Amino acid sequence: MGNLRFMTAGESHGPRLTAILEGIPAGLGLSEEAINKDLARRQQGYGRGGRMKIETDRVEILSGVRFGETLGGPVTLSVINKDWTNWTDRMAAFGNPAGEKVTAARPGHADYVGVQKYDREDIRDILERSSARETAMRVAVGGVCKALLSACGMEVVSHVVEIGGIKVNEDKINRDEIGKGSSELNCYDAEAEEKMKERIRGAKEAGDTLGGVFEVIVRGAPIGLGSHIQWDRRLDAALAGAMMSIQAIKGVEIGAGFEYAELPGSKAHDEMYYDENKKVYRRTNHAGGLEGGMTNGEEITIRAVMKPIPTLMTPLHSIDIESKEAVLACKERSDVCAVSAASVVGEAMAAFVIARAVVEKFGGDAMTDLLLAMNAYKARLAGE
C-alpha cells in the first residue's frame, strides 16, 4: 500500500545502524533535533538496562536532505553504536572468530528458531539482528514521517496504560495532555506510575522482567485514508501489522478492541449526529477512528501488549545447542521493563503507516502538490 517504504540494517553491537526511507516528497522540512529527541525518549524509562548508559543515540542523515529539506530521493539515516569499540573483535566482518560462542538459547527469544532456520552454530549470529536495538532506526524513520504528518496537520503521541498488572485509572487521565508531558514511564496517571515503578523494582530484585500495554494516538487524520476495496489496503490491518512487527509485541487492539466481545451492538457503535452547522460528530469513539478499513475523522487509537523481555537475570531452563545438554538460558545485558521505550517505537510505526497512506492518497513527488491535493480534498468534504 503506497509508495513509501523503508528498510533497516545493522547489528546490535555492530559499528552502526542504518535505515533507507524511500518515497518522502521533496520540500519537507526536517529537524535533526526533533528526530534526536525521539531517539532519546526511546532510550529513557524506568527499568532500562546498562546498554542505555553507554549509547546516546543521535541521527546522521547521509542522503536525501539538503539544507534541512528533503530532495525527493531516498533518505539515509544512521546511528553509530558507541559500544562497537568493545565488540570489534567479536563482531568483525572479516577475520577469525573471537570470544566464546553463545549456545544456551533463551526461551521466548529468536535464538533457537533462528539458528535452526539459518543453520548457524553461534546464537550471536541471530540475537544481534533480532535485538530490539534495531528499533532505534525505526524511531529515526518515524521522526521523518512525523514531520510529514505535522505538515499535514496531524500528530502521533503515546502513553503507557499498564505494566506488570498495574493499570492506569482512565478517569484520571486528561487525553488532551498526552504527548505534552514527560515521565519516566510515559504514563499520565502519577499514582499508577509510582505503583508501576514499585513493581519494576520488585522484578529487578527477583531477576525477573515485566511487560505491559501502551496506547498510540493519531490526531488530525482526515476521513478516508486507507480503503475497503482490498484486504491489503485496509488501514487497520496495516497498523496492526506494524505494531506486531515490533519486538516482543504479542497483541494489538484498535479502539474498544477485545471489549467488543462484551458489548451489544446498541452500545458498541459510534452513533452520528449533526451539529447546528450540519457537521457530523460522534459522542464516542469505540471504533478507534477506523471503520471499513478507513479513517473516519476521529482519533485513531491503537493498543499493543508487550510480553516480558526474554533475557532474565535469573535465567530460565533451556537447552545448549552445541552440547545438547540441559542448561540455564544465556544472559545478555538487558532491561527489566521496556514498555515505555516500546511506546515510542509504536509511535514511529504508526507514523510511518499513516504517512504512507497520506502519500498514497495525495501524491508524493513534492510537498506543495501533496498539500494542495489534501486541501482540495478537505474542501470537497466540507462542501466548499
Side-chain angles (χ1 to χ4, degrees):
M1 182 177 69
N3 297 317
L4 194 63
R5 59 181 181 169
F6 77 92
M7 179 178 288
T8 71
E11 286 75 46
S12 179
H13 293 97
R16 65 173 61 221
L17 301 165
T18 305
I20 296 178
L21 173 61
E22 183 182 27
I24 290 291
L28 174 66
L30 288 183
S31 162
E32 279 185 310
E33 288 310 307
I35 298 173
N36 288 333
K37 182 179 177 181
D38 277 349
L39 287 171
R41 290 174 60 225
R42 190 198 75 90
Q43 292 188 281
Q44 295 168 357
Y46 197 83
R48 302 304 306 278
R51 182 73 186 271
M52 298 305 106
K53 297 177 182 178
I54 297 172
E55 306 293 351
T56 305
D57 292 341
R58 295 190 65 82
V59 71
E60 289 183 83
I61 298 179
L62 305 178
S63 74
V65 178
R66 184 168 183 252
F67 302 126
E69 282 196 356
T70 55
L71 303 175
V75 178
T76 304
L77 305 146
S78 182
V79 170
I80 291 174
N81 283 329
K82 290 184 179 179
D83 207 16
W84 162 246
T85 57
N86 300 316
W87 288 78
T88 51
D89 291 338
R90 285 173 285 178
M91 290 299 298
F94 299 100
N96 296 317
E100 293 183 4
K101 289 193 293 186
V102 179
T103 57
R106 291 165 293 176
H109 208 283
D111 296 355
Y112 178 72
V113 177
V115 294
Q116 296 297 312
K117 175 180 174 65
Y118 290 98
D119 192 23
R120 309 308 297 164
E121 296 180 352
D122 187 345
I123 290 171
R124 184 157 302 284
D125 293 345
I126 305 303
L127 68 85
E128 284 287 332
R129 179 60 187 165
S130 61
S131 166
R133 176 76 183 135
E134 177 263 350
T135 62
M137 296 321 303
R138 302 208 216 180
V139 170
V141 165
V144 178
C145 293
K146 282 183 178 183
L148 188 151
L149 295 180
S150 178
C152 296
M154 291 176 254
E155 70 171 342
V156 185
V157 297
S158 71
H159 65 130
V160 170
V161 298
E162 181 178 352
I163 286 179
I166 305 296
K167 300 180 181 180
V168 299
N169 183 337
E170 303 283 353
D171 294 333
K172 290 185 176 181
I173 295 175
N174 182 347
R175 294 186 67 81
D176 292 336
E177 292 300 313
I178 295 173
K180 298 177 182 177
S182 62
S183 76
E184 288 186 278
L185 289 175
N186 194 23
C187 179
Y188 285 77
D189 177 347
E191 185 177 343
E193 183 179 45
E194 286 307 311
K195 292 179 180 178
M196 291 173 182
K197 289 180 179 180
E198 184 178 347
R199 187 63 56 88
I200 291 170
R201 286 193 293 271
K204 182 176 182 178
E205 290 172 3
D208 215 335
T209 59
L210 294 175
V213 179
F214 63 84
E215 180 179 61
V216 176
I217 303 166
V218 183
R219 298 169 176 154
I223 292 174
L225 298 180
S227 177
H228 67 286
I229 296 298
Q230 292 290 351
W231 69 271
D232 58 350
R233 294 184 64 194
R234 289 179 173 265
L235 193 59
D236 43 9
L239 286 165
M243 293 298 145
M244 288 295 292
S245 77
I246 301 169
Q247 292 86 332
I249 300 304
K250 298 298 284 187
V252 178
E253 62 179 10
I254 293 173
F258 287 99
E259 187 183 347
Y260 274 126
E262 304 172 8
L263 299 174
S266 58
K267 295 182 179 179
H269 303 293
D270 306 308
E271 295 180 293
M272 292 176 281
Y273 304 87
Y274 279 119
D275 64 17
E276 62 275 10
N277 298 314
K278 295 300 180 181
K279 301 288 186 182
V280 175
Y281 73 95
R282 306 173 192 241
R283 294 171 179 166
T284 59
N285 187 24
H286 299 305
L290 291 150
E291 291 176 309
M294 299 170 283
T295 52
N296 65 8
E298 301 294 319
E299 282 189 349
I300 300 170
T301 59
I302 315 142
R303 290 194 175 192
V305 59
M306 181 183 193
K307 70 182 181 181
I309 294 165
T311 303
L312 277 68
M313 295 303 104
T314 302
L316 297 173
H317 186 279
S318 188
I319 52 91
D320 188 296
I321 62 170
E322 185 172 67
S323 69
K324 310 299 182 186
E325 299 289 336
V327 294
L328 295 178
C330 69
K331 292 190 291 186
E332 292 281 313
R333 220 166 19 211
S334 184
D335 304 323
V336 177
C337 180
V339 180
S340 58
S343 71
V344 180
V345 183
E347 287 178 27
M349 293 307 297
F352 168 75
V353 171
I354 301 299
R356 184 175 62 180
V358 167
V359 169
E360 178 187 52
K361 181 159 182 59
F362 300 112
D365 291 331
M367 285 301 298
T368 48
D369 295 335
L370 185 152
L371 293 174
L372 280 170
M374 174 176 277
N375 290 334
Y377 174 74
K378 288 181 176 180
R380 176 175 72 78
L381 294 182
E384 299 174 4

